[in-house]
């Protein structure tokens, strides 16, 4: 795949990608992680057998790919420290909101790919969107494809501005699903089921409906109509939600998330 990969930041997303790389056949000796927190470093070393470093330094020079898995507010400082050693590398950022113009300026290179993954990547069921700057070659894209493949599905977008919409839709999307699961579990418990039963029914319903939507050529509207007989139980539930303007409220929430994604780029990308 590549001779060496260094991760800047060792949180959940980095762990998901590292686990996938090791399953693909990379060795632990080909992977380093820069992680400032000792407890997190110890955990990474124990879990994966990789080398965990306290901070960026000359060891980064051996990386042909650097994966940025840092919080937006710490990206600039970490990038400026690492830039002395990583100018030759391809850079893949999974940090929300930080635009590639900012990253390129901090690192002194144009070989930047931005990724917007989501947390189901932790179980190999993620959905990731990718954007590459013009200097990113087809070989670079193929490498990123191989790195991201174990985390789930992915797609490339043409315009970087689309990543703000991706952040609102799929990046933050798992939280929306969990929000509805909370409500369905509570409603089931209120109606006499145990919380365990209600939770299992709710999760199974989301999984099954998602699989059906993925397997069907029909749009969600048609699939919904097939479950909704006029005067029936589903009809009563959908009518109640429409009376509460739930669909438009939900769409407004996604626009709010997209707006905040753009703000993050302005706030931390100067």
């Amino acid at each position: 795949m590549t001779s060496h990969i260094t991760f800047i930041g060792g949180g959940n997303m980095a762990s998901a990608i590292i686990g996938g790389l090791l399953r693909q056949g990379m060795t632990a000796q080909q992977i380093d992680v820069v992680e400032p927190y000792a407890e997190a470093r110890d955990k990474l070393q124990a879990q994966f057998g990789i080398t965990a470093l306290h901070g960026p330094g000359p060891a980064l020079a051996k990386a042909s790919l650097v994966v940025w898995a840092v919080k937006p507010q710490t990206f600039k400082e970490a990038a400026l420290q690492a830039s002395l050693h990583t100018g030759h590398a391809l850079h893949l950022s999974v940090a929300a909101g930080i635009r590639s113009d900012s990253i390129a300026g901090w690192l002194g290179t144009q070989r930047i790919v931005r990724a917007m993954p989501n947390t189901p990547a932790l179980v190999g069921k993620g959905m990731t969107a990718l954007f590459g700057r013009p200097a990113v070659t087809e070989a670079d894209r193929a490498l990123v494809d191989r790195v991201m493949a174990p985390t789930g599905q992915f797609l490339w977008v043409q315009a970087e501005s689309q990543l703000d919409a991706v952040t609102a839709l799929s990046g933050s999307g798992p939280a929306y699903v969990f929000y509805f699961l909370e409500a369905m579990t509570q409603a089931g418990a209120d109606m006499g089921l145990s919380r365990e039963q209600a939770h299992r029914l709710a999760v199974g319903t989301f999984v099954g409906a998602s699989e059906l939507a993925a397997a069907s050529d029909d749009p969600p509207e048609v699939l919904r109509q097939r479950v909704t007989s006029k005067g029936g139980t589903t009809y009563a539930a959908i009518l109640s939600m429409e009376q509460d303007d739930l669909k438009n409220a939900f769409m407004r929430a996604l626009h709010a998330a997209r707006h905040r994604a753009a703000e993050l780029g302005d706030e931390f990308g100067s």
Side-chain angles (χ1 to χ4, degrees), residues 48-176:
F48 300 117
I50 51 89
T51 299
L53 309 168
H54 174 267
L60 271 65
K62 61 185 174 182
S64 51
L65 173 65
V66 179
V67 180
W68 292 87
V70 295
K71 289 179 169 47
Q73 56 267 37
T74 63
F75 201 140
K76 181 177 181 179
E77 181 182 358
L80 292 176
Q81 292 176 23
S83 63
L84 298 174
H85 314 289
T86 61
H88 62 287
L90 172 66
H91 292 266
L92 170 63
S93 169
V94 297
I98 304 298
R99 300 185 187 103
S100 66
D101 282 344
S102 298
I103 301 171
W106 299 334
L107 293 172
T109 178
Q110 294 294 315
R111 289 177 67 209
I112 308 292
V113 174
R114 276 188 63 194
M116 187 61 242
N118 62 15
T119 55
L122 300 175
V123 292
K125 296 292 184 180
M127 186 70 240
T128 299
L130 300 158
F131 168 80
R133 291 179 69 82
V136 174
T137 66
E138 286 303 314
D140 291 338
R141 286 175 175 251
L143 172 58
V144 171
D145 287 352
R146 292 195 295 274
V147 168
M148 297 307 300
T151 68
Q153 299 182 61
F154 59 88
L155 57 86
W156 290 84
V157 297
Q158 296 298 315
E160 185 169 7
S161 60
Q162 292 176 296
L163 289 181
D164 290 338
V166 170
T167 301
L169 192 67
S170 59
S172 299
Y176 315 149

Side-chain angles (χ1 to χ4, degrees), residues 159-193:
E160 185 169 7
S161 60
Q162 292 176 296
L163 289 181
D164 290 338
V166 170
T167 301
L169 192 67
S170 59
S172 299
Y176 315 149
V177 175
F178 302 146
Y179 188 76
F180 277 94
L181 287 175
E182 287 179 59
M184 292 174 72
T185 300
Q186 183 60 56
D190 292 345
M191 291 186 284
L193 297 169

